[in-house]
Amino acid sequence: MNLKDIIANEDIIHELYFHVAKNAPFNTFFLPKNHFRVFKEQLHDKFLFYGYFINDKLIGFNTLIKNGKVLDTYFLGYDEALQKEKMLYLNMLYDMIAYAIKKDFKEIVFARTALEIKSSVGAKPIETFGFIEHSNALINSNMSKLFNYLEPKTIWNNRNPFK
């Protein structure tokens, strides 16, 4: 979808995104309604926005960021009532992989949610590290305990579709 399409569908885009975000097991923030428009305005053709429609009604979307030879998957959203029946999330994953292959990207970064379904399409987990610091010294000295407490432990089956 181009910038004009994103602006025209901004309300439904936010609704679809927010449904997925609020049901995530761990979330530190929610995006503002104009987030995807701003990203398209700033990144132009490096920010890809794909809509999924039934009878001209937007039922889902996914976003990608071209980062050199790496394709970063970004936020997505879908209509929960149609998700299972249409296998929206799985089809989005297939579409992202197909785009990356067709455009000769060397790597796809899928982020850290929905690990089991991503492994079912060939994704491999990679340990990541981050840095966090609070301005309050007391909170900062206990940040590792606090962060471990806030982040849910994810138990999942690592699948491998390849022999």
Side-chain angles (χ1 to χ4, degrees):
M1 294 170 64
N2 61 34
L3 178 59
K4 182 178 159 192
D5 297 329
I6 293 168
I7 292 169
N9 289 281
E10 205 160 61
D11 288 336
I12 187 68
I13 288 168
H14 190 261
E15 185 180 310
L16 294 170
Y17 150 76
F18 192 73
H19 171 75
V20 172
K22 75 179 180 184
N23 289 308
F26 182 73
N27 222 332
T28 55
F29 60 88
F30 292 104
L31 302 175
K33 187 172 16 175
N34 69 344
H35 178 81
F36 298 105
R37 170 175 32 121
V38 170
F39 252 58
K40 190 65 172 173
E41 289 169 345
Q42 296 298 312
L43 296 177
H44 306 285
D45 67 337
K46 290 184 179 174
F47 180 69
L48 306 173
F49 192 105
Y50 290 99
Y52 293 75
F53 294 84
I54 292 181
N55 299 325
D56 296 325
K57 180 184 180 218
L58 183 65
I59 61 164
F61 71 89
N62 71 59
T63 55
L64 302 168
I65 299 172
K66 297 183 208 176
N67 184 10
K69 283 301 201 177
V70 174
L71 186 64
D72 291 313
T73 62
Y74 197 50
F75 289 96
L76 56 78
Y78 51 74
D79 182 331
E80 182 61 35
L82 297 169
Q83 199 305 101
K84 269 193 174 153
E85 174 193 342
K86 302 296 182 187
M87 296 190 304
L88 285 170
Y89 188 72
L90 182 60
N91 281 303
M92 288 177 187
L93 291 175
Y94 287 145
D95 289 344
M96 292 174 200
I97 293 166
Y99 180 85
I101 292 169
K102 186 166 68 171
K103 298 296 184 178
D104 200 30
F105 283 90
K106 302 301 179 203
E107 184 179 344
I108 305 172
V109 176
F110 277 120
R112 58 176 198 78
T113 59
L115 303 174
E116 193 163 337
I117 193 169
K118 289 174 182 170
S119 72
S120 75
V121 296
K124 299 284 184 207
I126 297 173
E127 189 173 16
T128 58
F129 301 92
F131 175 79
I132 187 168
E133 183 177 49
H134 198 281
S135 58
N136 181 302
L138 181 61
I139 293 173
N140 197 51
S141 66
N142 292 297
M143 188 57 75
S144 62
K145 293 177 198 147
L146 182 62
F147 194 79
N148 285 334
Y149 175 76
L150 293 174
E151 184 176 24
K153 298 297 176 228
T154 306
I155 300 169
W156 59 285
N157 293 319
N158 190 1
R159 299 178 177 178
N160 185 357
F162 306 110
K163 298 280 182 210

